[in-house]
Amino acid sequence: MTLLDHGQDREVTSPDVTSPEGAPGGRPFRRRALRAGVTIAAALALGWALLLPYGVRIGQDVTPGLPVDAGLYVPEYGENGTYGLDYRHHETVTLRVPIRNRGPLPLTLTAASIDDGLYPLLVHGGDNLPLDIGPWSEGELELELTFDNCRYYHERAAETYESVALQGSVLGRDFEEQVTLAYPVVLHGQVILTCPDRTLRRDDDHPDSR
């Protein structure tokens, strides 16, 4: 028998690709792939939970919009000027606030307010919400406000509105933000002639009860 004949009698085997110790088709590889997929999914979920709030970026120092006869803007009063709003008992005024979405995610505004006091001089009566704003886009919030509760304010009192509180959602997650106004809007208390609800007795209503 020659060496050639002896070599032909040997059985040649190949690795079992289905065995636990085999090539990438084996169970260990599938388990590693599954674990990797779970890890990636967990990382994405964690990133969504932690980083999503940073995707909500609302532009600040926006110029409020008011009707031309609603009051008077005084540029010399205050650091950036001041808008003095005229009190008109039980009438309504619409405050328009540009909302600039500076983030890469679309957002939906669902609620907004400028005052959450017990007796606000401006009572929130309506709005154009919900308002959808795309990434790096701008929308306009419209707040319908009613003049009221002047009886709780003496003539030297004033309410100052410097920001608007917003609530909304992005990718199914809720957020709360404040948008600052470029200059404050001020509304003064009224004397009895412009506040029909007031009486001649100062102690009938107490401003401190607000």
Side-chain angles (χ1 to χ4, degrees), residues 122-145:
L122 287 175
V123 179
H124 183 192
D127 49 51
N128 62 333
L129 300 176
L131 179 62
D132 296 323
I133 306 177
W136 298 290
S137 299
E138 182 175 310
E140 187 173 72
L141 170 66
E142 297 180 0
L143 296 176
E144 185 179 283
L145 307 167

Side-chain angles (χ1 to χ4, degrees), residues 44 72 86 108 148 151 174 189:
L44 290 174
L72 179 66
D86 291 338
T108 300
D148 202 354
R151 64 185 296 179
D174 296 336

Side-chain angles (χ1 to χ4, degrees), residues 68-90:
V68 293
D69 61 345
L72 179 66
Y73 172 67
V74 183
E76 296 83 10
Y77 189 81
E79 182 178 353
N80 299 310
T82 300
Y83 190 96
L85 191 61
D86 291 338
Y87 184 90
R88 298 169 184 176
H89 194 58
H90 286 173

Side-chain angles (χ1 to χ4, degrees), residues 28-204:
F29 176 81
R30 289 197 294 271
R31 284 197 295 268
R32 288 194 298 271
L34 179 60
R35 285 196 297 267
V38 171
T39 301
I40 293 174
L44 290 174
L46 181 62
W48 178 85
L50 296 178
L51 300 179
L52 185 57
Y54 297 99
V56 180
R57 296 196 294 271
I58 305 295
Q60 302 297 316
D61 299 321
V62 300
T63 302
L66 288 159
V68 293
D69 61 345
L72 179 66
Y73 172 67
V74 183
E76 296 83 10
Y77 189 81
E79 182 178 353
N80 299 310
T82 300
Y83 190 96
L85 191 61
D86 291 338
Y87 184 90
R88 298 169 184 176
H89 194 58
H90 286 173
E91 293 186 18
T92 61
V93 63
T94 299
L95 173 66
R96 292 178 170 84
V97 182
I99 305 297
R100 300 192 296 261
N101 181 5
R102 296 308 192 200
L105 303 174
L107 58 85
T108 300
L109 298 182
T110 56
S113 64
I114 61 169
D115 194 303
D116 56 359
L118 184 58
Y119 299 115
L121 279 172
L122 287 175
V123 179
H124 183 192
D127 49 51
N128 62 333
L129 300 176
L131 179 62
D132 296 323
I133 306 177
W136 298 290
S137 299
E138 182 175 310
E140 187 173 72
L141 170 66
E142 297 180 0
L143 296 176
E144 185 179 283
L145 307 167
T146 300
F147 298 99
D148 202 354
N149 296 314
C150 58
R151 64 185 296 179
Y152 299 102
Y153 298 77
H154 59 76
E155 59 271 17
R156 292 185 300 276
E159 288 284 88
T160 301
Y161 307 97
E162 298 179 305
S163 64
V164 178
L166 304 176
Q167 296 180 24
S169 64
V170 55
L171 297 183
R173 184 174 178 185
D174 296 336
F175 70 87
E176 295 183 1
E177 288 285 333
Q178 293 269 351
V179 57
T180 58
L181 303 180
Y183 46 80
V185 176
V186 176
L187 181 58
H188 282 274
Q190 302 297 299
V191 299
I192 192 170
L193 293 179
T194 51
C195 181
D197 291 343
R198 289 191 66 176
T199 71
L200 293 176
R201 290 176 55 90
R202 284 182 176 269
D203 58 352
D204 282 347

